[in-house]
């Protein structure tokens, strides 16, 4: 399922397919959610979602990697 990421997603919690907290959306840029997380999580997610990030503390999530958007979180279709 493809969803449209908008600025409304900023500050939402990002969880993986198992519901594990893996960061917070800090920015929407060029259709991607940039997610801030701890260094280990960023490294893991950059290998699973190799679109990059805006710095070494973020990783990018494009709409095709999002399974669901709720009022307070983005649910990804990958596991950490």
């Amino acid at each position: 399922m493809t969803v449209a990421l908008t600025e409304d997603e900023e500050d939402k919690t990002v969880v993986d397919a198992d519901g594990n907290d893996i960061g917070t959306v800090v920015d929407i840029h060029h259709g991607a959610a940039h997610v801030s997380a701890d260094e280990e999580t960023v490294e893991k997610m950059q290998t699973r979602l190799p679109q990059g990030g805006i710095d070494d503390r973020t990783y990018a999530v494009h709409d095709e990697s999002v399974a669901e958007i709720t009022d307070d979180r983005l649910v990804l279709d990958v596991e950490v």
Side-chain angles (χ1 to χ4, degrees):
M1 174 174 120
T2 301
V3 296
L5 297 170
T6 68
E7 290 181 4
D8 292 338
E9 277 58 80
E10 289 181 14
D11 298 322
K12 288 186 179 182
T13 300
V14 179
V15 299
D16 69 4
D18 290 331
N20 300 308
D21 184 348
I22 55 171
T24 303
V25 177
V26 293
D27 189 27
I28 302 294
H29 189 69
H30 295 292
H34 293 271
V35 181
S36 175
D38 63 80
E39 186 175 342
E40 183 179 339
T41 300
V42 169
E43 288 177 12
K44 285 180 186 177
M45 295 310 292
Q46 284 179 341
T47 62
R48 288 173 175 77
L49 306 167
Q51 296 89 354
I54 53 177
D55 58 38
D56 62 352
R57 299 286 291 172
T58 65
Y59 59 91
V61 174
H62 289 264
D63 54 3
E64 64 268 6
S65 298
V66 177
E68 179 183 14
I69 297 175
T70 69
D71 290 341
D72 59 351
R73 66 186 191 157
L74 266 67
V75 180
L76 304 185
D77 62 1
V78 297
E79 297 173 6
V80 174

